[in-house]
């Protein structure tokens, strides 16, 4: 059975060009880039090239890039460094819809005595900028707001938010794990101090990422050890993965246009057709300000897990907006923060596309999903009562 992979916000396929670039560095060119000999030196040269490729994708300079092990490490390193920069300040501003890489860290910091403001979002998943400004105080050390949401694709106005933070002397970090490679990012044109990315969301392998730290921003290392990354992250470099990430960044820059034309077109077709064919379905998240590859659709009175299981029988991969917590299905914190009604949040599915998806695959899903929802609804007592009450009113 062919796999139709529409779960690219969870992880992506390693691009063939990325794999090819990495392979020599596992076996033949295994030198340590810190070594004095030229065997290691040739690897160091390749790392410099990867740093340039990573920087070019986001309009940064190579010495503003610190390679890390993942998006989570990048987020943690940024926030902890900001707190170390302003030890007298005890306040952090973030949002209710952040990824656990930020949200759980902030909860942990709150348990250690920091004051954390989690900004709410409206029904479209968008921030209220007045509320944001009101949350900034002289005690605020750092703001951490995601550039784009992993579940809905909603894009926050982080560049505007960063400018407002800078006016007040507050450091600004953004989790750009989902936005990098999908929308243009130019660090030479904004006031963001730190930005986190993860390789496996843009066709590089898992276990590699980077943190951008603006030149002139004080940085306290998260991993203390050797002199690697100019003393900003100890540990012998994961050379094949860094080289792979560099190549993936180069490809992402080249594919940005395709993301915003072809991928967006396929996402729109999937969304429009599913909404037209399936009654009582709706999109979660600001329809205009979203990533081009993501759609989060709720199908009322069905459970997301059921939809995923039946789609799985056709080889279709996606994610649901609810998770099993303590034995019961709970809608995600993102959908709850948006106030999505319970009956809708339970049946929400995130489809996230990549440049490797085809129109044929999208047509396949459009054909298979409506009967899946119909089948699940026919088994649901809630649905029967809804349709009966609709018929009588
Ligand atoms: N931030 C966001 C928005 C994410 O979607 C993810 C991964 O799903 C992460 C951070 C964590 O990245 P990693 O898996 O590389 O630690």
């Amino acid at each position: 059975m062919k796999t139709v992979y529409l779960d690219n916000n969870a992880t992506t396929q390693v691009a063939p060009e990325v794999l090819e670039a990495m392979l020599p560095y596992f076996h033949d060119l295994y030198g340590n880039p810190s070594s004095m000999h030229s065997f290691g030196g040739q690897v160091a040269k390749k790392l410099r090239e990867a740093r340039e490729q990573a920087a070019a994708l986001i309009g940064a300079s190579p010495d503003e890039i610190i390679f890390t092990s993942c998006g989570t490490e990048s987020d943690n390193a940024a926030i902890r460094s900001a707190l170390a920069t302003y030890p007298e300040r005890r306040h952090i501003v973030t949002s209710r819809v952040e990824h656990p890489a930020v949200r759980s860290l902030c909860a942990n910091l709150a348990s250690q005595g920091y004051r954390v403001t989690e900004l709410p979002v409206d029904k479209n998943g968008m921030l209220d900028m007045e509320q944001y400004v009101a949350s900034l105080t002289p005690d605020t050390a750092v703001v951490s707001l995601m550039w784009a949401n992993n579940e809905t694709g909603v894009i926050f106005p982080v560049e505007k938010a960063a400018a407002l933070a800078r006016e007040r002397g507050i450091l600004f970090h953004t989790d750009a794990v989902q936005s990098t490679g999908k929308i243009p990012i130019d660090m030479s044109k904004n006031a963001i101090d730190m930005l986190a990315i993860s390789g496996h969301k843009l066709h590089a392998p898992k276990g590699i990422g980077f943190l951008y730290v603006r030149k002139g921003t004080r940085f306290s290392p998260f991993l203390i050890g050797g002199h690697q990354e100019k003393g900003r992250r100890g540990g012998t470099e994961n050379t094949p993965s860094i080289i792979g990430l560099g190549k993936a960044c180069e490809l992402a820059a080249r594919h940005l246009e395709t993301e915003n034309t072809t991928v967006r077109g396929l996402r729109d077709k999937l969304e429009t057709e599913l909404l037209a064919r399936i009654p009582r379905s709706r999109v979660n998240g600001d329809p205009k300000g979203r990533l081009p590859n993501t759609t989060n659709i709720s199908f009322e009175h069905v459970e997301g897990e059921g939809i995923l299981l039946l789609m799985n029988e056709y080889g279709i991969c996606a994610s649901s907006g609810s998770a099993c917590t303590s034995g019961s299905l709970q809608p995600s914190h993102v959908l709850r923060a948006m106030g999505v009604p319970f009956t809708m949040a339970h049946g929400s599915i995130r489809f996230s596309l990549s440049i490797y998806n085809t129109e044929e695959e999208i047509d396949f899903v459009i054909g298979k999903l409506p009967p899946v929802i119909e089948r699940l609804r026919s088994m649901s007592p809630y649905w029967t009562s809804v349709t009966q009450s609709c018929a009588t009113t």
Side-chain angles (χ1 to χ4, degrees), residues 265-279 281 283 295 297 299 351 359 362-370:
L266 291 179
R267 187 275 311 267
D268 289 348
K269 178 174 185 184
L270 177 69
E271 189 174 279
T272 312
E273 290 296 326
L274 291 181
L275 292 183
R277 289 164 195 234
I278 303 174
S281 54
V283 172
T295 179
I297 309 181
F299 306 100
F351 300 95
E359 182 146 21
I362 296 304
D363 289 340
F364 181 74
V365 179
I366 291 167
K368 293 295 178 207
L369 193 54

Side-chain angles (χ1 to χ4, degrees), residues 70-72 75 99 101 146 150 175 177-178 198 200-201:
C70 59
T72 302
D75 285 330
H99 186 272
M146 66 204 316
N150 45 304
D175 175 339
V177 164
Q178 293 293 345
S198 169
H200 73 106
K201 311 291 183 177

Side-chain angles (χ1 to χ4, degrees), residues 17-158:
E17 299 91 330
V18 168
L19 182 62
E20 196 189 337
M22 291 172 68
L23 284 176
Y25 295 89
F26 284 105
H27 189 264
D28 298 337
L29 302 171
Y30 54 85
N32 188 323
S34 299
S35 297
M36 290 302 289
H37 44 71
S38 57
F39 186 65
Q42 62 191 325
V43 183
K45 184 165 171 271
K46 200 70 188 167
L47 289 197
R48 280 196 293 279
E49 188 185 313
R51 205 178 297 282
E52 281 163 17
Q53 289 164 319
L57 177 61
I58 59 165
S61 82
D63 53 6
E64 292 175 313
I65 305 297
I66 303 173
F67 289 112
T68 63
S69 68
C70 59
T72 302
E73 184 192 326
S74 301
D75 285 330
N76 274 247
I79 293 170
R80 288 195 185 276
S81 172
L83 297 177
T85 299
Y86 293 119
E88 69 291 355
R89 302 190 194 176
R90 306 292 292 172
H91 181 223
I92 302 164
V93 172
T94 183
S95 84
R96 278 192 200 158
V97 297
E98 299 297 312
H99 186 272
V102 168
R103 204 158 169 255
S104 301
L105 172 64
C106 289
N108 180 275
L109 291 165
S111 73
Q112 292 169 30
Y114 284 94
R115 198 163 58 81
V116 176
T117 300
E118 274 196 347
L119 295 166
V121 294
D122 66 13
K123 65 180 184 359
N124 283 328
M126 192 44 75
L127 283 177
D128 177 334
M129 289 307 272
E130 276 180 28
Q131 245 173 336
Y132 166 65
V133 171
S135 74
L136 304 175
T137 72
D139 190 40
T140 310
V142 61
V143 174
S144 181
L145 291 173
M146 66 204 316
W147 200 313
N149 188 274
N150 45 304
E151 290 190 33
T152 59
V154 170
I155 298 170
F156 277 170
V158 285

